Amino acid sequence: MRLLFISGLLAAFWLLLSGHYVPLILALGAVSVVLVTWFVNRMDKVDGEPLSMRLGFGLVGYLAWLMWQVVLSNVTLARRIWDPRLPIRPTWQRLDTSVSTPLEKTLYANSITLTPGTLTTDVKRDHFMIHSLSPEGMEDLRQGEMEGRIRRLRI
Amino acid sequence: MLLAAIVAVMVTMLLALVRAFLGPTAYDRMLAASSFGTKTVLLIALGGHAMSWHSYLDVALLYAMVNFVATVAVMRFFEYRAAREATEGGESAS
Amino acid sequence: MSVVIQWVSDILLLAGGLLCVTGGIGLIRMPDFFSRVHAAGVTETLAAPLLLVGLMLQLEWSLDMFKALMVLVFILATNPTASHAMAKAALHGGLRPWQADQDKTAGGAPSSNS
């Protein structure tokens, strides 16, 4: 069932990207879809942790919120860059976190890095190492709004 | 306005090149090269549209992929080299 | 293409171009490698989406628009990974971030906040 879903997704992706609908190209596409589906199947066996397909509305809502955060922090950082005094006070500190599952950790660490001004430099079992351009960025993370939103996704 | 955007991207590429030459560490140079690569993707996308090329977006997509893999690969190489030199007691990489 | 879409596209392209140059300036002005990663992030997380969405509006509904969207999604999805790989490699290579408040040692005492 999951493999069927993946091959359907891959086929749609191929058709959209190619734009040529002649037999030869379609046949090549079919071969690619079958090969990639096979690879994915094998990788899941090695990985031991197949990605669940629960892409709910929660994730879409979270991504929308994340995009807005990215815009806000970009504006802040652009202001700092254009300021003649260059008002940055970089810090490099540990951030204790309670996210536990690998998927949550990945999403959290990537979200932190995606917002300019904060950068995940290392991921450990119960804490991240964060480089922040200003102590305020660090404080915002400690407030835990982003973490709370990720935990509410229950992925 | 498309032209203005293209000029802006090219100016940024120039700034990234300056950083690549200034260094001072290899990581700075690689950061500049990676940033330059992303700007190249944007330049291909915008310039291709302005000059109405064919299939320019496929090129842009491919370039984005190659740029990402190249950045991660080079950084991996740096990391392993640093780890090896640390165990051998050599000078740290810079 | 309607006039309104043209205007919106122009505004997005202009804003994206300005932010792009901002990131470039940041790349030059920032004092150390780790803060430069943040500056490079500006051009990749906001300038690139603005420019590509501006381009998508000019392409209208077509396969090309979908491809531009794919480029955008790909840049956004890979940027954090690339930044993280660079920061981690630099740390392993012995580079340490310059900090404004040196008394707060990194990785030292656990934070008061849980």
Side-chain angles (χ1 to χ4, degrees):
Chain A
M1 184 59 219
R2 217 170 58 81
L3 289 182
L4 214 64
F5 178 77
I6 289 173
S7 28
L9 207 67
L10 286 169
F13 188 62
W14 174 282
L15 289 175
L16 277 167
L17 276 190
S18 112
H20 292 279
Y21 306 111
V22 292
L24 173 68
I25 304 289
L26 285 179
L28 285 175
V31 171
S32 313
V33 167
V34 170
L35 274 179
V36 173
T37 313
W38 182 50
F39 289 159
V40 167
N41 195 26
R42 279 179 62 90
M43 281 166 118
D44 277 353
K45 275 173 188 155
V46 175
D47 216 15
E49 192 181 354
L51 185 67
S52 67
M53 284 295 168
R54 285 183 291 137
L55 291 171
F57 287 106
L59 192 57
V60 175
Y62 173 73
L63 288 179
W65 177 81
L66 181 64
M67 278 293 106
W68 178 237
Q69 293 307 112
V70 167
V71 171
L72 288 183
S73 50
N74 262 303
V75 170
T76 315
L77 186 50
R79 277 219 190 113
R80 284 177 204 267
I81 288 175
W82 283 111
D83 194 313
R85 290 173 292 120
L86 198 65
I88 59 164
R89 288 169 62 215
T91 59
W92 186 47
Q93 294 174 34
R94 79 178 260 170
L95 172 74
D96 290 302
T97 170
S98 52
V99 292
S100 48
T101 68
L103 203 55
E104 274 179 347
K105 270 189 182 171
T106 312
L107 188 61
Y108 191 27
N110 272 318
S111 303
I112 290 173
T113 311
L114 195 62
T115 42
T118 48
L119 173 68
T120 317
T121 57
D122 214 344
V123 176
K124 290 279 161 56
R125 196 176 54 77
D126 63 343
H127 69 274
F128 294 166
M129 292 306 296
I130 306 285
H131 183 266
S132 172
L133 265 189
S134 65
E136 293 86 45
M138 205 64 215
E139 274 313 304
D140 282 350
L141 285 177
R142 291 230 167 93
Q143 298 292 321
E145 192 187 354
M146 184 183 273
E147 191 177 0
R149 278 174 187 267
I150 286 172
R151 287 175 65 85
R152 259 175 271 140
L153 287 177
R154 294 181 190 288
I155 47 177
Chain B
M1 213 43 77
L2 202 57
L3 197 68
I6 291 172
V7 171
V9 170
M10 288 175 108
V11 168
T12 315
M13 287 168 94
L14 204 68
L15 291 169
L17 269 188
V18 171
R19 175 47 71 195
F21 278 117
L22 286 178
T25 66
Y27 307 107
D28 286 293
R29 292 182 217 278
M30 195 56 217
L31 174 67
S34 158
S35 188
F36 190 84
T38 318
K39 300 300 107 52
T40 314
V41 175
L42 293 175
L43 188 65
I44 294 171
L46 295 170
H49 179 62
M51 297 167 79
S52 49
W53 290 343
H54 278 293
S55 314
Y56 59 97
L57 281 169
D58 304 77
V59 179
L61 190 56
L62 201 63
Y63 202 99
M65 292 179 177
V66 170
N67 182 46
F68 168 65
V69 174
T71 306
V72 173
V74 170
M75 283 306 165
R76 271 295 186 205
F77 169 70
F78 281 164
E79 225 178 310
Y80 285 134
R81 193 183 61 173
R84 205 184 62 221
E85 278 171 1
T87 51
E88 285 169 1
E91 284 289 299
S92 69
S94 64
Chain C
M1 191 182 348
S2 81
V3 182
V4 180
I5 289 182
Q6 180 68 53
W7 277 2
V8 174
S9 163
D10 280 352
I11 290 169
L12 289 178
L13 285 175
L14 194 66
L18 276 175
L19 263 173
C20 207
V21 175
T22 304
I25 303 264
L27 208 56
I28 301 289
R29 286 194 72 191
M30 288 296 179
D32 80 327
F33 168 75
F34 292 91
S35 38
R36 278 177 209 133
V37 175
H38 296 291
V42 173
T43 61
E44 300 192 11
T45 56
L46 194 58
L50 284 175
L51 289 173
L52 284 171
V53 171
L55 179 68
M56 276 162 66
L57 289 178
Q58 298 208 358
L59 292 172
E60 297 177 321
W61 284 105
S62 61
L63 273 185
D64 274 355
M65 193 186 114
F66 174 75
K67 282 178 193 167
L69 185 66
M70 283 328 301
V71 176
L72 172 55
V73 168
F74 194 80
I75 289 180
L76 280 183
T78 57
N79 168 55
T81 314
S83 298
H84 176 70
M86 282 190 276
K88 206 171 171 209
L91 278 175
H92 281 221
L95 209 62
R96 285 291 172 270
W98 169 75
Q99 295 185 73
D101 318 307
Q102 282 294 352
D103 50 310
K104 283 183 191 169
T105 45
S111 70
S112 55
N113 220 325
S114 62

